[in-house]
């Protein structure tokens, strides 16, 4: 189809929305390693996981064989509030860069939570309500997941307890207030309200927290409070499953115009948006139906793919969760409070870790001043203020487009714009005032953190 006929925004009709989530694990030749019981080092069973997670979510978590899970009708109806989300041709960015590359981005910020997180939050809240639970607990870093979950819990009249990484709690008060507006109770983590929080504060006085800390506290409250379960916004298999709606919509929109991407780029913290974006494309690559280049982009301040170790590790700092095999910096690793975006988790999704270890995708780390330079350029030419997390992907998309400018190649680049940056103005203020710096962990710091990895045969 002639290029000029491709609209600035490609929208699917509601009738074209995915009716089932795609489980990439079913097509993976090497399945992701199972979660292990930290006491026995044996794979976690359904019975062992159900005190922590909702029953149906545990079934999704453990299922490596079912290719598609039907999206319940009630979730499909909720999705229609903000889905299908647009696939945007970045004509203005292409012009500003003077590149022959064709750049597209899937925009997931068109809901009040401001990000893709709502895709899984509504699913997890649905299954909690279906099970007859009173409420759920969770952690949140930059706040997108906590915001999304508070919205989903409000919809289903569930109680929602959020432990928010302390540095974000202090830097992003408006996102905290959105959570409270939707009825959530928000506690800065680590806190004195849990036993594990007290232990972390004793070991790390004055710490600004991490996702690993917040997870520990949320799990403690969930497992000690009748009628509650814990839910997680990234990393887990079930979350990547729900987020596959992003990739399924992206592929359907591209297919409408006969567009085949060469490069697919996503920011990577725990892996939810990247895993969701690449899912159907990676499935085609694994099956030998097509070839794509996948790039995971992570912050240089928390470089689990590019500088971590592929090993079993605790999913949380308090070491109360199962062990997951992943690229990790060690569960004791606490990213610099100087890092303005999210993407602060010490490990990476087991699914993405396996794909990366198999050589099916690449990873790069970028420094945050370069990330915000890209964010500013994108905002000025494309008119959308991007979230700092998303801007990691923007940085590398621009870099790849500039390479095309040098070589003259008209490659098609697709990246995920996970959300908007309207609650991240403290970070933008630091950048605009020239006060933003780059903090990169030393080899010695990483070695010290990795030395605490559990010994798993």
């Amino acid at each position: 189809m002639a290029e000029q006929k491709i609209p600035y925004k490609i929208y699917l009709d509601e009738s074209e929305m995915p009716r089932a989530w795609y489980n990439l694990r079913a097509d993976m030749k090497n399945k992701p390693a199972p979660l292990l019981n930290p006491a026995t080092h044996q794979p976690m069973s359904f019975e062992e996981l159900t005190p922590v997670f909702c029953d149906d979510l545990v079934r999704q978590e453990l299922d490596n064989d079912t290719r598609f899970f039907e999206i319940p009708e009630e979730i499909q109806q909720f999705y229609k509030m903000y889905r299908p989300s647009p696939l945007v041709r970045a004509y203005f960015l292409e012009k500003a860069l003077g590149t022959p590359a064709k750049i597209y981005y899937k925009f997931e910020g068109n809901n009040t939570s401001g990000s893709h997180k709502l895709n899984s939050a509504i699913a997890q809240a649905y299954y909690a309500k279906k099970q007859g639970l009173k409420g759920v607990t969770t952690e949140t870093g930059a706040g997108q997941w906590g915001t999304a979950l508070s919205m989903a819990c409000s919809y289903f009249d569930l109680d929602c307890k959020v432990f928010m990484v302390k540095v974000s709690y202090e830097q992003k008060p408006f996102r905290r207030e959105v959570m409270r507006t939707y009825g959530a109770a928000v506690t800065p983590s680590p806190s004195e309200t849990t036993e594990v929080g007290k232990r972390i504060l004793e070991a790390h006085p004055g710490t600004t927290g991490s996702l690993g800390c917040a997870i520990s506290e949320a799990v403690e409250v969930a497992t000690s409070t009748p009628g509650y379960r814990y839910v997680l916004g990234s990393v887990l298999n079930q979350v990547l499953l729900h987020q596959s709606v992003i990739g399924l919509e992206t592929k359907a929109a591209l297919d409408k115009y006969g567009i085949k991407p060469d490069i697919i780029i996503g920011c990577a913290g725990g892996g939810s948006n990247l895993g969701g974006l690449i899912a159907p494309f990676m499935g085609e690559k694994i099956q030998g139906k097509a070839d794509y280049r996948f790039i995971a982009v992570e912050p240089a301040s928390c470089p689990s793919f590019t500088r971590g170790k592929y090993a079993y590790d605790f999913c949380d700092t308090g070491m109360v969760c199962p062990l997951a095999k992943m690229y990790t910096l060690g569960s004791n690793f606490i990213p610099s409070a100087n890092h303005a975006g999210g993407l602060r988790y010490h490990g990476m999704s087991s699914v993405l870790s396996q794909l990366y270890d198999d050589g099916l995708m690449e990873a790069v780390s970028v420094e945050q001043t370069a990330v915000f330079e890209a964010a500013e350029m994108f905002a000025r030419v494309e008119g959308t203020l991007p979230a700092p997390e998303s801007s990691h992907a923007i940085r590398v998309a621009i870099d790849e487009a500039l390479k095309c400018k040098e070589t003259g190649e008209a490659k098609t680049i697709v990246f995920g714009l996970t959300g908007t940056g309207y609650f991240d103005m403290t970070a933008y203020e630091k950048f605009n005032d020239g006060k933003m710096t780059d903090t990169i962990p030393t080899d010695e710091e990483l070695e010290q953190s990795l030395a605490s990895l559990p010994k798993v045969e």
Side-chain angles (χ1 to χ4, degrees), residues 194-315:
T194 66
E195 292 306 311
V196 70
K198 292 174 185 175
R199 290 201 304 271
I200 292 169
L201 286 170
E202 186 176 344
H204 304 278
T207 179
T208 55
S210 71
L211 275 176
C213 298
I215 289 171
S216 297
E217 294 201 271
V219 170
E220 179 183 314
V221 172
T223 54
S224 61
T225 311
Y228 282 74
R229 292 294 186 276
Y230 167 70
V231 294
L232 183 63
S234 190
V235 182
L236 293 176
N237 297 334
Q238 57 188 272
V239 180
L240 270 67
L241 173 72
H242 305 148
Q243 295 294 357
S244 67
V245 297
I246 302 172
L248 292 167
E249 282 189 8
T250 301
K251 190 170 188 312
L254 291 170
D255 287 349
K256 262 193 163 187
Y257 289 88
I259 304 163
K260 181 183 178 298
D262 298 294
I263 307 170
I264 303 173
I265 302 168
C267 61
S272 64
N273 89 88
L274 175 65
L277 175 65
I278 70 174
F281 303 97
M282 181 63 80
E284 286 191 337
K285 180 166 182 166
I286 291 171
Q287 296 169 58
K289 295 179 179 178
D291 193 20
Y292 306 97
R293 183 180 168 211
F294 302 100
I295 306 176
V297 190
E298 60 185 9
S301 63
C302 193
S304 51
F305 262 147
T306 53
R307 296 178 66 194
K309 184 176 181 181
Y310 191 34
Y312 268 104
D313 193 12
F314 286 96
C315 294

Side-chain angles (χ1 to χ4, degrees), residues 127-178:
Y127 289 116
K129 187 70 173 182
K130 178 185 173 188
Q131 194 169 320
L133 298 175
K134 180 182 177 182
V136 295
T137 70
T138 197
E139 79 298 322
T140 194
Q144 291 96 330
W145 169 246
T147 306
L149 187 67
S150 67
M151 292 176 65
C153 286
S154 174
Y155 183 77
F156 284 115
D157 195 25
L158 287 166
D159 187 38
C160 181
K161 301 181 187 299
V162 180
F163 287 86
M164 187 173 186
V165 175
K166 187 176 292 182
V167 64
S168 293
Y169 183 93
E170 294 168 352
Q171 288 181 351
K172 303 183 181 184
F174 298 121
R175 193 166 271 142
R176 179 187 72 217
E177 291 311 309
V178 174

Side-chain angles (χ1 to χ4, degrees), residues 31 44 58 104 118 141-142 177 184 216 218 247 271 283 291 300 319 321 339 343 391:
K31 308 297 184 186
M44 294 288 288
V58 173
Y104 296 84
L118 196 55
E177 291 311 309
S216 297
D291 193 20
M319 300 183 181
C321 289
H339 184 62
L343 312 181
S391 302

Side-chain angles (χ1 to χ4, degrees), residues 90-131:
Y91 282 114
F92 300 111
L93 181 61
E94 293 172 14
K95 182 179 179 181
L97 295 173
T99 178
K102 300 172 179 64
I103 307 172
Y104 296 84
Y105 58 92
K106 181 66 165 170
F107 181 51
E108 290 290 311
N110 55 337
N111 65 79
T112 299
S113 76
S115 81
H116 68 293
K117 297 286 188 178
L118 196 55
N119 300 329
S120 185
I122 192 62
Q124 296 191 51
Y126 166 84
Y127 289 116
K129 187 70 173 182
K130 178 185 173 188
Q131 194 169 320

Side-chain angles (χ1 to χ4, degrees), residues 303-362:
S304 51
F305 262 147
T306 53
R307 296 178 66 194
K309 184 176 181 181
Y310 191 34
Y312 268 104
D313 193 12
F314 286 96
C315 294
D316 65 313
T317 304
M319 300 183 181
V320 298
C321 289
L323 301 176
K325 190 175 184 184
M326 56 187 175
Y327 277 88
T328 179
L329 299 171
S331 62
N332 282 324
F333 180 78
I334 296 179
S336 165
N338 177 61
H339 184 62
L343 312 181
R344 298 172 58 85
Y345 189 57
H346 65 271
M348 194 61 65
S349 149
S350 291
V351 170
L352 295 180
S353 292
Q354 184 66 59
L355 294 170
Y356 182 63
D357 198 60
D358 288 342
L360 292 167
M361 56 186 280
E362 305 167 30

